[in-house]
């Protein structure tokens, strides 16, 4: 049984998904594929990592790439949707640790392949939940639901405006191409920065509740509340909250700009979002700041560090007629500054999880 799921670029709406705000991701053409066959016990092979055999699903996690798969199997078991054992093989065209959600591609694709192998057909919402719980509750990354949601619900030629507080989803046409420039700084989220930011946001919310009892998410506050937030919260927490509040407004504005085909405005919002990450959320790295700066100088509509941050990749939106020149110049500027050329590639908005195989059947 085979299935695949895409990585993602988040156009905008960073660190809003665990604060009740909106996100605007796009599914990539680059994907992770899983093939699984029934077996007496569990073994995991990957094109990138060492094969691991005889894995005990209920034993303590190994603290390596297999944890995501073990997490998925545990969550499928809880639904009665796991096979008794399987040989699982993973192949991917996604860079790992580049902030492009290779982990959600892995968990969503494996949730699909393994549940089908067990004779169960889970719907997209169930696949998202299994994948989310595997990462959050099993592996222990305090992520939101953006990555799993786009890996499951992505659709060709569209970005997905996902309102995380309500679960509302709205597809926005994204007919063009976007570019990804990898910083080459790899970040493993289990390293803790994301978890720390999440704690800070919870603390900020607790402060805000003293004056707004009943507030359920930071993203419910509006830019008009900022003076009060800044007066009441200690400076680092005020800055984190300011990012979430302004990013929420920017994300909805960006979805509107994209729907109107106003790429100039969309690009300007992306750059503002990057600045907010740099100054208020403090999740950028100098390589990303450099790429965004040169992208704007060279004539891109906009650019922004995408994904959790502390490394990863920058999304760049260049005008179509000038993309070859602009991207070449961004590459040259980067090489001059950091002594190595960056990995750069383009993609269109692609589809979400799907069953694969010679006898591909409707799912
Ligand atoms: C990671 C998490 C997502 C989201 C982003 C930041 O990718 O997995 O849920 O929080 O960081 O926007």
């Amino acid at each position: 049984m085979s299935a695949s799921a895409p990585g993602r670029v988040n156009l905008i709406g960073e660190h809003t998904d665990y604060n009740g705000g909106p996100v605007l991701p796009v599914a990539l053409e680059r994907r992770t594929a899983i093939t699984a066959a029934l077996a007496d016990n569990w073994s995991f092979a990957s094109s990138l990592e060492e094969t691991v055999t005889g894995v005990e699903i209920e034993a303590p996690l190994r603290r390596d790439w297999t944890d995501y798969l073990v997490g998925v199997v545990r969550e499928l078991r809880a639904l009665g949707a796991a096979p008794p054992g399987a040989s699982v093989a993973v192949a991917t065209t996604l860079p790992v640790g580049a902030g492009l959600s290779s982990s959600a591609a892995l968990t969503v694709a494996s949730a699909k392949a393994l549940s089908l192998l067990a004779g169960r057909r889970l719907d997209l919402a169930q696949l998202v939940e299994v994948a989310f719980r595997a990462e959050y509750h099993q592996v222990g990354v305090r992520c939101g639901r953006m990555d799993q949601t786009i890996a499951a619900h992505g659709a060709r030629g569209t970005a997905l405006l996902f309102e995380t507080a309500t679960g509302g989803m709205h597809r926005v046409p994204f007919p063009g191409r976007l570019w990804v420039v990898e910083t080459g700084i790899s970040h493993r989220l289990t390293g803790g920065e994301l978890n720390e930011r999440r704690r800070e946001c919870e603390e900020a919310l607790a402060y805000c509740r003293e004056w707004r009892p009943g507030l359920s998410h930071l993203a419910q506050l509006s830019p008009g509340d900022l003076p009060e937030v800044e007066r009441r919260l200690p400076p680092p927490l005020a800055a984190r909250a300011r990012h979430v509040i302004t990013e929420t407004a920017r994300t909805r504005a960006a979805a509107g700009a994209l729907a109107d085909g106003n790429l100039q405005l969309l690009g300007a919002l992306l750059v503002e979002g990057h600045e907010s990450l740099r100054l208020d959320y403090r999740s950028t790295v100098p390589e990303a700041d450099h790429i965004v700066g040169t992208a704007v100088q060279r004539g891109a509509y906009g650019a922004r560090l995408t994904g959790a941050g502390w490394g990863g990749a920058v999304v760049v939106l260049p005008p179509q007629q000038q993309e070859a020149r602009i991207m070449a110049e961004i590459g040259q500027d980067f090489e001059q500054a950091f002594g190595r050329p960056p990995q750069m590639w383009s993609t269109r908005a692609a589809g979400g999880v799907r069953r694969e195989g010679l006898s591909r059947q409707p799912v």
Side-chain angles (χ1 to χ4, degrees):
M1 192 61 67
S2 301
S4 75
R8 63 98 189 92
V9 146
N10 188 20
L11 286 179
I12 192 163
E14 217 64 84
H15 299 286
T16 47
D17 67 345
Y18 52 89
N19 286 301
V23 293
L24 188 63
V26 164
L28 303 175
E29 289 163 337
R30 292 187 164 204
R31 311 174 67 87
T32 295
I34 306 282
T35 294
L38 285 173
D40 289 337
N41 45 33
W42 288 95
S43 66
F44 301 129
S46 152
S47 52
L48 299 176
E49 309 271 354
E50 298 237 316
T51 297
V52 184
T53 55
V55 178
E56 294 290 341
I57 299 299
E58 299 307 333
L61 293 175
R62 299 163 43 90
R63 301 282 150 218
D64 64 15
W65 70 281
T66 62
D67 292 356
Y68 291 91
L69 292 168
V70 169
V72 166
V73 177
R74 287 181 182 170
E75 293 297 333
L76 287 176
R77 277 186 178 175
L79 293 179
S87 299
V88 179
V90 183
T92 188
T93 52
L94 276 167
V96 174
L100 300 171
S101 193
S102 58
S103 59
L106 176 64
T107 52
V108 171
S110 55
K112 174 90 180 164
L114 292 171
S115 55
L116 285 173
L117 190 63
R120 289 285 301 273
R121 188 167 292 188
L122 303 186
D123 63 24
L124 294 180
Q126 287 174 308
L127 292 175
V128 168
E129 211 47 30
V130 166
F132 169 75
R133 291 185 59 86
E135 187 148 359
Y136 189 98
H137 295 284
Q138 305 294 343
V139 180
V141 180
R142 300 289 174 241
C143 56
R145 283 179 172 74
M146 164 170 70
D147 302 347
Q148 299 79 9
T149 301
I150 186 69
H153 292 269
R156 263 176 79 174
T158 63
L160 183 69
L161 178 65
F162 171 39
E163 287 285 352
T164 61
T166 59
M169 287 183 220
H170 178 69
R171 294 190 199 289
V172 186
F174 185 86
R177 285 203 295 173
L178 57 80
W179 281 79
V180 172
V181 183
E182 297 177 31
T183 63
I185 310 295
S186 166
H187 178 70
R188 294 194 76 90
L189 287 186
T190 37
E193 284 96 343
L194 180 62
N195 293 2
E196 184 192 322
R197 285 292 179 276
R198 188 157 182 153
R199 265 196 308 278
E200 288 177 329
C201 287
E202 278 159 13
E203 231 183 292
L205 179 62
Y207 271 100
C208 293
R209 278 183 178 143
E210 286 171 12
W211 119 87
R212 291 278 291 270
L215 189 73
S216 52
H217 307 292
L218 279 183
Q220 278 176 316
L221 295 169
S222 67
D225 294 315
L226 280 175
E228 195 64 20
V229 168
E230 284 157 5
R231 208 172 60 75
R232 285 177 175 266
L233 272 60
L237 295 186
R240 308 299 181 253
R242 188 163 55 228
H243 168 75
V244 172
I245 294 165
T246 58
E247 184 80 346
T248 292
R250 273 189 296 273
T251 304
R252 295 191 182 124
L258 181 58
D260 294 345
N262 188 344
L263 298 181
Q264 209 89 44
L265 175 57
L266 176 64
L269 290 163
L270 261 60
V271 175
E272 261 181 45
H274 183 84
E275 284 306 285
S276 179
L277 290 174
R278 185 171 72 84
L279 298 169
D280 281 344
Y281 220 71
R282 302 209 171 233
S283 55
T284 73
V285 291
E287 288 80 353
D289 299 339
H290 187 272
I291 296 165
V292 172
T294 56
V296 171
Q297 265 171 28
R298 300 299 189 172
Y301 291 124
R304 196 181 71 78
L305 178 62
T306 187
W310 300 285
V314 171
V315 51
V316 181
L317 294 182
Q320 204 189 332
Q321 319 74 3
Q322 297 176 57
E323 70 180 6
R325 174 191 61 80
I326 291 173
M327 297 314 298
E329 289 174 356
I330 292 173
Q332 286 154 14
D333 291 343
F334 185 96
E335 185 163 5
Q336 214 156 52
F338 299 102
R340 59 183 167 86
Q343 297 287 329
M344 299 193 289
W345 42 275
S346 68
T347 182
R348 289 181 188 278
V353 66
R354 62 176 184 237
R355 183 174 177 174
E356 298 283 0
L358 290 176
S359 59
R360 199 200 289 179
Q361 288 157 11
V363 281

